[in-house]
Amino acid sequence: MDGITRDDVLALEAFIYSQLRPVQDAAGETGDTFCVLRSLEILVCDSAGLLLALLDRVGRGQEEQSTTMLREWNRLWTTAS
């Protein structure tokens, strides 16, 4: 996870939200599409939040933490792709 910064996470999160917004606007606030988009928004928020929290703890030398960070980064990257 060397090289991933808070700014990287925030930029990727912002990119995903910028892609979701037009679809959310078109979908309205009811129905299945709204529910799916809301779930995706929550997933992105939770994933980015966890990754940011873990980045704040970098240097405490936990291998499990690095694995979790990599998983969350990959989850965000895949979502953006």
Side-chain angles (χ1 to χ4, degrees):
M1 281 304 300
D2 294 338
I4 302 293
T5 66
R6 290 182 59 81
D7 288 340
D8 294 329
V9 175
L10 294 172
L12 188 53
E13 181 182 31
F15 171 77
I16 293 168
Y17 287 148
S18 75
Q19 300 303 301
L20 284 175
R21 220 160 268 116
V23 180
Q24 288 172 319
D25 291 345
E29 295 185 12
T30 59
D32 292 341
T33 303
F34 168 79
C35 291
V36 168
L37 291 169
R38 183 68 181 129
S39 294
L40 183 56
E41 185 177 42
I42 291 167
L43 175 121
V44 169
C45 179
D46 289 351
S47 215
L50 176 58
L51 187 50
L52 290 169
L54 291 171
L55 281 169
D56 286 344
R57 292 194 228 160
V58 167
R60 296 186 185 163
Q62 296 179 353
E63 187 172 321
E64 181 179 329
Q65 180 174 308
S66 293
T67 301
T68 302
M69 288 171 60
L70 182 59
R71 184 186 67 236
E72 294 306 319
W73 175 255
N74 287 337
R75 183 187 324 258
L76 285 175
W77 187 256
T78 301
T79 301
S81 296

